[in-house]
């Protein structure tokens, strides 16, 4: 799945302190008949579940998962005899045990359970959603919530087929994994009953139902029917998704030797949805904002998000749905693969999207998290629902994708594709482990992929590769040394050793890739002597690099001409990480980026300016902040004057994106008054409807206008958010409320988090915006704490707690760190336990960076 906005993950979080246990493997499900009679008006449903099982050993009792339901009858039939079972619910273990007087013999048996339950409002299980005065019922089961909708063997390895029947009011239609094969009136007056085709063999967490007033646009790819569905008012926003879905399905069919396995594909935008999107087999469910967009005004970022999330979810049809991890400890196999695959069709679809830079960014996201002491290996031991939820993090997604990408580059695209297909063919409609996958790629490629991957999958952390180049007899050689990289300068050493595919290049020679397996090794690097040897050619390596000061200076000089954009991206990111780790100083970083003022690629420039924002906020003092701002202004003004404030008719998307980065940086760091005035005028004009904003620039201008904005602008933003026709515009104005800095407006914006107008699914992300604004951070935290009894239950919906706790890492004092730790000790968040450790570690690192780097910064500024 894809998480809600902040995270591209599809998931749902549990807030309960459950300690569910594994089911015995002595009874195996084969097929389910699932009947749901859904009463939207009274927010409840009746269910009947029939399960054909295979009993391995005669037993008087069968235990399966069931939670928050009332079972009214249960029988077990075998060998022609039906016995009534007594039922013992164990809410702690999330199970129901059916016990019969005479043991059920080994062999085939059938369980039938009748029950009823409420449609909950917690966005998990089978839940209630509302929009436009209508009610909807929707499922979200991953990871462990199918058991809230029907009694089942709720673990990924218990695969079975499902026959779904839904009875509902005549005005509501149901969408499920299969196609509707019959739709008849009754049984009650005003009801109709929809029967769906049997599903393929799959895990319980992939079963899906959406019921309500949906309308769809229809298309197809490779003879597979595709529908994009939404509430009727949002139907006009489905066109872009349909175009993309058709392209992606065609691409994935060509990549794989197994064609799309689930017959039809429905993609449904649901009014309330906790995760970003969920890859139910043949029926992907979505948060509206990640799927629906105005095809005329959608920004570049929104187009890429719609495409990327669709590609991620559709990739899951193979990775996850067709072949599923054996247990949740290998969730990275699902999520890392879907994240990796998502960029394949995107890169083919539009070269101007510069997908390689997005991938480099993804690598950095993963490496940043993996540099903390509180990281975990890709393969991670999990048992309880809370632990399982916690594993849906950037390690599973972005590190998984980065490691897969590095290995793909190491063995070559075609060999890798063959390995992937061999793996899928071998385990289709079944389950597999990390070892199965590594073995498949090793066998096909003939390269030691299993040994390479094992060092990245089973060990936590990221290697630091130190590079020392030498010149002997007119030829370059390079000595590489590896050790684990920690952000914390005080972290104790650690003995991990990786087998790293390292790609070397020098100015004028093509990349030469080597396998670096020892603690220290020397490799030839080129036929001529070079002042630098760059050790992450292509920017796909999952490691940090550290160069000698001389090599850094030489690289700074040559970067723009000799390095590709993803390589420049990794170079500046690595150098900044070395500053944060106390290995280099901020002066080294500023020396390097002083050469980046004319960087043509906005994403690379943003990697530079993001760190300049950090320096401005945390490392400058009142005495030297003006000098730092002068440096930033001088660095960026030539580029800004070249692109200008206003859009020109012949501007490329690259140029418009560069303008966005320059304006956002100058508006934020230097508080440039002409930019502030220009932003306000442009936003006023857009709000009046006289001149629309350039979609690429809109977010930056709206935030700049908000930071200096008054009450009338606040009112206008709220109104614009409420009447927006596309989710993009809605959230652009809604989240900008957090950027107003006048105290009375900060209070109004915070109070809005408590109002019923804000959907619960948005509470966490809305509040998280405030922590990114230095002027509002303290007040927002005080507000969150004061209203926790009210806000907490909304924040803990669907990894919202993870997003919120992640956002708190913007604090940078020992006092705030201790306060955050104490607060969550008193108000624990089961799914965000590890995230809290990471946030504490990041605040500590910020505090330490401040202590360590303020003096070098002052020295560097005064020497200029
Ligand atoms: Zn996913």
């Amino acid at each position: 799945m894809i998480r809600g906005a902040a995270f591209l993950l599809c998931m749902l979080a549990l807030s309960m302190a459950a300690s569910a246990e594994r089911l015995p493997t002595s009874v195996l499900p084969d097929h389910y008949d699932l009947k749901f009679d859904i009463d939207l008006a009274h927010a409840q449903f009746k269910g009947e579940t029939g399960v054909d099982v295979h009993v391995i050993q005669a037993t008087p009792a069968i235990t399966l998962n069931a939670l928050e339901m009332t079972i009214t009858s249960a029988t077990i039939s075998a060998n022609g005899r039906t016995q009534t079972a007594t039922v013992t619910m164990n809410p702690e273990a999330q199970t129901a045990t059916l016990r019969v007087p005479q043991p059920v013999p080994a062999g085939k048996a059938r369980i039938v359970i009748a029950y009823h339950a409420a449609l909950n409002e917690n966005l998990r299980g089978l839940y209630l959603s509302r929009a436009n005065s209508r009610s909807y019922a929707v499922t979200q089961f991953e990871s462990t919530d199918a058991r809230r909708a029907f009694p089942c063997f709720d673990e990924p390895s218990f695969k079975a087929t499902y026959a779904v029947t839904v009875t509902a009011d005549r005005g509501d239609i149901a969408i499920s994994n299969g196609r509707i094969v019959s739709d008849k009136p009754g049984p009650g007056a005003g009801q109709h009953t929809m029967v769906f085709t049997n599903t393929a063999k799959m895990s319980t967490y992939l079963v899906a139902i959406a019921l309500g007033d949906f309308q769809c646009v229809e298309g197809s790819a490779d003879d597979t029917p595709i529908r994009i569905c939404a509430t009727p008012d949002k139907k006009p926003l489905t066109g872009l998704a349909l175009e993309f879905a058709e392209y992606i399905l065609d691409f994935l069919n060509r990549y794989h030797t197994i064609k799309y396995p689930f017959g039809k594909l429905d993609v449904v935008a649901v009014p309330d949805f906790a995760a970003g999107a969920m890859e139910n087999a043949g029926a992907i469910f979505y948060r509206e904002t990640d799927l629906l967009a105005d095809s005329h005004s959608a920004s570049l970022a929104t187009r890429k998000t719609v495409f990327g999330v669709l590609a991620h979810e559709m990739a899951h049809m193979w990775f996850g749905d067709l072949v599923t991890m054996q247990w949740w400890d290998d969730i990275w196999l699902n999520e890392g693969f879907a994240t990796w695959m998502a960029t394949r069709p995107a890169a083919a679809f539009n070269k101007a999207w510069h997908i390689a830079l997005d991938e480099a960014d993804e690598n950095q996201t993963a490496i940043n998290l993996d540099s903390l002491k509180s990281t975990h290996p890709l393969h991670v031991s999990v048992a309880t629902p809370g632990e399982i939820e916690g594993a849906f993090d950037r390690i599973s997604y972005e590190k998984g994708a980065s490691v897969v990408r590095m290995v793909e580059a190491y063995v070559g695209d075609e060999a890798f594709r063959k390995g992937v297909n061999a793996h899928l063919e071998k385990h289709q409609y079944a389950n597999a482990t990390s070892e199965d996958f590594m073995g498949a790629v090793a066998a096909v490629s003939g390269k030691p992929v299993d040994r390479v991957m094992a060092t990245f999958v089973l060990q936590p952390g990221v290697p630091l590769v130190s590079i020392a180049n030498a010149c002997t007899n007119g030829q370059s050689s390079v000595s590489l040394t590896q050790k684990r990289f920690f952000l914390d300068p005080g972290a104790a050493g650690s003995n991990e050793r990786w087998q790293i595919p390292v790609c070397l290049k020098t100015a004028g020679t093509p990349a030469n890739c080597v396998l670096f397996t020892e603690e220290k090794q020397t490799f030839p690097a080129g036929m001529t002597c070079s002042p630098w040897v760059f050790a992450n050619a292509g920017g796909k390596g999952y490691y940090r690099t550290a160069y000698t000061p001389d090599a850094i200076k030489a690289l700074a000089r040559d970067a723009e001409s000799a390095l590709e954009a993803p390589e420049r991206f990794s170079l500046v990111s690595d150098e900044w990480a070395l500053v944060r780790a106390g290995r280099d100083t901020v002066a080294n970083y500023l020396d390097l980026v002083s050469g980046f003022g004319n960087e043509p690629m906005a994403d690379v420039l943003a990697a530079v300016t993001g760190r300049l924002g950090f320096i401005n906020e945390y490392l400058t003092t009142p005495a030297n902040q003006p000098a730092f701002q002068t440096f930033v202004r001088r660095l960026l003004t030539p580029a800004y004057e070249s692109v200008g404030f206003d859009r020109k008719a012949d501007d490329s998307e690259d140029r418009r994106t560069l303008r966005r980065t320059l304006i956002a940086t100058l508006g934020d760091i230097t508080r440039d008054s002409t930019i502030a005035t220009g932003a306000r005028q442009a936003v006023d004009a857009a709000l009046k409807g006289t001149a629309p904003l350039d979609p690429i620039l809109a977010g930056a201008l709206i935030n700049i206008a908000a930071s200096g904005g008054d009450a009338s602008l606040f009112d206008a933003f709220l109104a614009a958010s409420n009447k927006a026709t596309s989710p993009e515009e809605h959230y652009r104005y809604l989240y900008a409320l957090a950027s107003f800095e006048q105290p009375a407006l900060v209070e109004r914006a915070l109070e809005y988090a408590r109002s019923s107008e804000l959907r619960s699914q948005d509470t966490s992300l809305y509040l998280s915006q405030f922590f990114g604004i230095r002027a509002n951070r303290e007040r927002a935290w005080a507000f969150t704490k004061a209203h926790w009894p009210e806000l907490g239950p909304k924040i803990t919906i669907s990894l919202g707690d993870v997003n919120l706790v992640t956002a708190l890492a913007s604090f940078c004092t020992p006092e705030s760190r201790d306060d955050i730790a104490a607060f969550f000790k008193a108000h624990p968040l089961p799914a965000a336990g590890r995230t809290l450790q990471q946030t504490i570690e990041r605040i500590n690192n910020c505090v330490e960076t401040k202590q360590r780097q303020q003096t070098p910064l002052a020295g560097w500024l005064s020497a200029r």
Side-chain angles (χ1 to χ4, degrees):
M1 70 188 138
I2 285 274
R3 285 189 190 179
F7 268 122
L8 204 65
L9 136 90
C10 3
M11 246 318 283
L12 227 245
L14 298 201
S15 53
M16 48 176 320
S19 58
E21 41 196 67
R22 300 291 292 272
L23 295 173
T25 51
S26 52
V27 178
L28 305 175
D30 185 43
H31 173 77
Y32 291 81
D33 292 298
L34 303 178
K35 291 182 181 158
F36 299 93
D37 184 340
I38 300 173
D39 179 359
L40 285 175
H42 298 96
Q44 60 190 17
F45 68 99
K46 287 185 287 192
E48 186 191 289
T49 294
V51 201
D52 294 327
V53 296
H54 189 78
V55 179
I56 307 290
Q57 214 175 13
T59 175
I62 294 177
T63 296
L64 68 179
N65 295 111
L67 187 63
E68 291 178 359
M69 59 178 61
T70 305
I71 293 180
T72 52
S73 76
T75 60
I76 303 177
S77 307
N79 282 353
R81 179 164 75 167
T82 297
Q83 302 190 73
T84 298
T86 57
V87 180
T88 309
M89 298 293 286
N90 182 344
E92 180 80 0
Q94 308 190 349
T95 58
T97 298
L98 315 185
R99 199 170 290 278
V100 288
Q102 300 297 322
V104 185
K108 288 184 182 308
R110 182 171 173 86
I111 302 166
V112 178
I113 299 172
Y115 62 98
H116 58 82
L119 291 170
N120 72 72
E121 301 202 31
N122 302 327
L123 312 194
R124 62 173 178 247
L126 178 56
Y127 67 86
L128 188 68
S129 165
R130 291 189 188 87
N132 312 326
S133 314
R134 294 280 301 239
S135 292
Y136 292 77
V138 184
T139 56
Q140 169 57 32
F141 291 165
E142 191 176 20
S143 307
T144 57
D145 290 325
R147 64 192 64 170
R148 293 168 193 270
F150 62 97
C152 57
F153 298 85
D154 198 11
E155 294 181 16
S157 64
F158 291 121
K159 287 199 169 184
T161 55
Y162 304 80
V164 175
T165 302
V166 177
T167 299
D169 284 349
R170 219 172 273 161
D172 294 312
I173 66 150
I175 295 166
S176 185
N177 308 92
R179 268 189 294 255
I180 290 186
V181 283
S182 93
D183 184 353
K184 292 179 181 154
Q191 284 188 311
H192 68 143
T193 296
M194 293 153 278
V195 179
F196 294 86
T197 48
N198 277 11
T199 69
K201 202 173 163 193
M202 64 187 200
S203 308
T204 43
Y205 78 91
L206 296 169
V207 175
I209 297 167
L211 173 72
D213 185 17
F214 291 109
Q215 290 188 8
C216 309
V217 292
E218 300 184 14
S220 70
D222 260 2
D223 297 330
T224 297
I226 300 175
R227 298 192 299 172
I228 311 289
C229 307
T231 58
D233 56 311
K234 303 266 170 52
K235 193 181 173 188
L237 303 174
T238 51
L240 210 53
L242 182 62
E243 177 198 341
F244 291 166
E246 289 177 336
Y247 180 90
I248 294 163
L249 191 65
D250 185 61
F251 181 96
L252 294 175
N253 272 345
R254 282 182 284 115
Y255 189 90
H256 297 112
T257 49
I258 301 171
K259 294 253 184 220
Y260 176 75
F262 300 110
K264 60 85 180 168
L265 177 63
D266 288 328
V267 184
V268 187
V270 172
D272 295 283
F273 197 67
M278 176 65 213
E279 68 271 21
N280 310 301
I284 299 169
F285 292 175
Y286 251 85
R287 185 180 276 239
E288 289 180 338
T289 181
D290 288 334
L291 183 71
L292 304 178
D294 183 328
S295 53
H296 300 294
S297 70
S299 71
L300 177 62
T302 289
R303 282 168 194 274
K304 286 171 80 169
T305 296
V306 171
F307 192 103
V309 179
L310 262 175
H312 175 108
E313 299 305 325
M314 290 169 70
H316 271 313
M317 297 296 129
W318 285 264
F319 299 108
D321 294 8
L322 181 66
V323 177
T324 311
M325 72 270 143
Q326 183 71 24
W327 176 243
W328 300 106
D329 56 3
D330 270 334
I331 186 61
W332 83 270
L333 265 185
N334 272 17
E335 298 303 347
F337 263 85
T339 305
W340 160 77
M341 177 58 102
T343 57
R344 292 283 156 288
F349 182 76
N350 191 336
K351 296 273 178 285
W353 280 359
H354 306 298
I355 293 299
L357 267 173
D358 293 352
E359 294 177 339
D361 191 26
E362 214 165 76
N363 285 12
Q364 290 303 323
T365 299
I367 289 173
N368 283 335
L369 182 53
D370 216 12
S371 304
L372 302 178
K373 289 177 289 187
S374 46
T375 186
H376 64 84
L378 279 173
H379 178 91
V380 58
S381 171
V382 291
T384 67
E387 287 170 353
I388 293 168
E389 296 296 332
F392 283 80
D393 66 0
R394 292 190 179 283
I395 294 296
S396 295
Y397 285 69
E398 279 84 0
K399 179 176 180 179
S402 301
V403 169
V404 168
R405 194 153 46 232
M406 176 172 69
V407 169
E408 181 192 32
Y410 170 56
V411 303
D413 293 359
E414 195 48 33
F416 191 77
R417 190 172 81 95
K418 282 189 179 138
V420 165
N421 281 317
H423 174 75
L424 292 172
E425 284 176 21
K426 185 166 177 192
H427 301 284
Q428 56 182 312
Y429 304 107
N431 301 77
T433 63
S434 292
E435 290 80 25
D436 292 328
F437 174 74
M438 297 184 249
V441 181
V444 168
S445 68
K447 289 191 172 177
V449 172
D450 42 353
R451 285 190 275 129
V452 170
M453 280 192 88
T455 65
F456 286 91
V457 170
L458 303 177
Q459 301 184 119
V462 58
L464 173 69
V465 175
S466 300
I467 299 113
N469 53 313
C471 181
T472 320
N473 300 330
Q475 296 190 4
S476 272
S477 68
V478 63
S479 290
L480 305 180
T481 313
Q482 63 164 297
K483 68 173 184 184
R484 181 164 169 190
F485 177 77
F486 285 104
L487 193 64
D488 178 0
S494 186
N495 292 324
E496 289 84 1
R497 173 93 53 82
W498 286 265
Q499 302 211 353
I500 315 171
V502 172
C503 293
L504 306 166
K505 84 179 219 186
T506 62
T509 54
N512 166 37
C513 299
V514 299
L515 190 60
F516 173 35
T517 60
E518 305 301 321
E519 193 182 344
K520 183 167 186 180
Q521 270 176 283
T522 300
F523 299 95
M527 301 307 287
T528 57
C529 281
S530 168
W532 51 265
V533 177
F534 185 73
N536 189 5
K540 294 187 177 184
Y542 192 76
Y543 47 85
R544 288 235 175 269
T545 52
Y547 298 92
T548 60
D550 285 348
I552 275 284
K553 282 189 193 124
L555 271 166
R557 202 175 50 232
D558 295 350
E560 204 185 316
S561 60
L563 299 185
E564 303 293 323
E567 297 168 346
R568 299 197 296 276
F569 192 99
S570 79
L571 178 66
V572 295
S573 302
D574 283 352
E575 184 53 35
W576 177 248
L578 295 176
V579 175
R580 296 296 297 259
R583 211 189 123 110
D584 284 358
T585 72
V586 68
N588 299 120
Y589 180 78
L590 292 172
D591 279 341
L592 175 65
V593 304
S594 293
F596 278 71
N598 289 314
E599 169 60 46
M601 298 304 297
D603 289 346
V604 179
L605 185 64
V608 171
T609 58
R611 280 70 182 243
L612 297 179
F614 179 93
I615 295 168
N616 180 53
E617 177 168 0
Y618 297 107
L619 303 187
T620 56
T621 61
N624 64 26
Q625 195 177 50
F628 180 74
Q629 294 177 347
T630 300
F631 160 70
V632 173
R633 198 176 294 115
R634 286 197 184 137
L635 179 69
L636 300 180
T637 295
Y640 174 60
E641 283 177 349
S642 157
V643 298
F645 185 89
D646 295 312
R647 181 176 174 178
K648 294 168 191 63
D650 60 347
D651 277 348
S652 65
E653 280 185 340
D654 282 349
R655 195 173 169 85
R656 291 157 61 200
T657 311
L658 191 64
R659 175 181 299 123
R660 193 255 332 263
T661 301
L662 290 163
I663 286 179
T665 304
L666 290 169
D668 176 50
I669 295 182
T670 70
R671 295 270 164 157
D672 184 298
S673 61
T674 58
I675 285 180
T677 308
R680 177 67 193 258
Q681 284 169 352
V683 169
D684 280 342
L687 288 167
K688 278 191 209 113
T690 46
L693 298 169
D694 176 357
I696 289 179
L697 199 54
L701 294 180
I702 285 170
N703 282 319
I704 292 169
S707 63
D710 50 17
S712 71
L713 193 69
F714 189 98
D715 292 336
F717 276 21
L718 202 51
S721 145
N722 288 332
K723 74 169 205 278
T725 51
S726 73
E728 175 170 48
E729 181 143 311
H730 168 72
Y731 286 108
R732 196 181 270 156
Y733 284 110
L734 176 68
Y735 288 160
L737 297 180
S739 295
F740 284 83
E741 294 181 6
Q742 288 184 10
L745 300 178
V746 177
E747 292 309 309
R748 272 185 70 191
L750 285 168
E751 279 300 324
Y752 193 72
R754 300 172 63 199
S755 82
S756 58
E757 286 170 64
L758 187 69
R759 283 186 183 273
S760 300
Q761 67 167 18
D762 296 332
T763 305
S764 165
L765 281 175
Y766 177 75
L767 278 174
S768 296
Q769 310 300 318
F770 291 83
F771 299 116
I773 310 294
R774 79 202 101 157
N776 299 345
R777 192 173 294 145
E778 295 281 352
R779 180 61 203 126
W781 176 230
F783 175 89
T784 305
K785 286 186 293 183
H787 297 288
W788 189 257
E790 184 185 342
L791 296 171
K794 298 178 180 175
I795 285 168
T796 46
I797 289 173
S798 176
L799 295 181
D801 44 354
V802 170
N803 291 331
L804 186 91
V805 172
T806 301
L808 291 172
S810 56
F811 281 99
C812 193
T813 65
E815 297 73 33
S816 50
R817 170 200 63 204
D818 295 345
D819 184 49
I820 289 166
F823 182 78
F824 289 116
K825 192 163 186 210
H827 306 88
L829 298 170
R834 196 193 302 273
T835 309
L836 181 61
Q837 290 174 25
Q838 291 160 350
T839 286
I840 299 296
E841 208 180 327
R842 286 184 158 135
I843 297 174
N844 280 336
N845 182 259
C846 184
V847 171
E848 208 165 69
T849 302
K850 198 156 46 172
Q851 285 165 355
R852 207 181 276 262
Q853 302 294 348
Q854 278 187 328
T855 307
L857 176 67
W860 190 84
L861 287 171
S862 63
R864 289 178 68 82

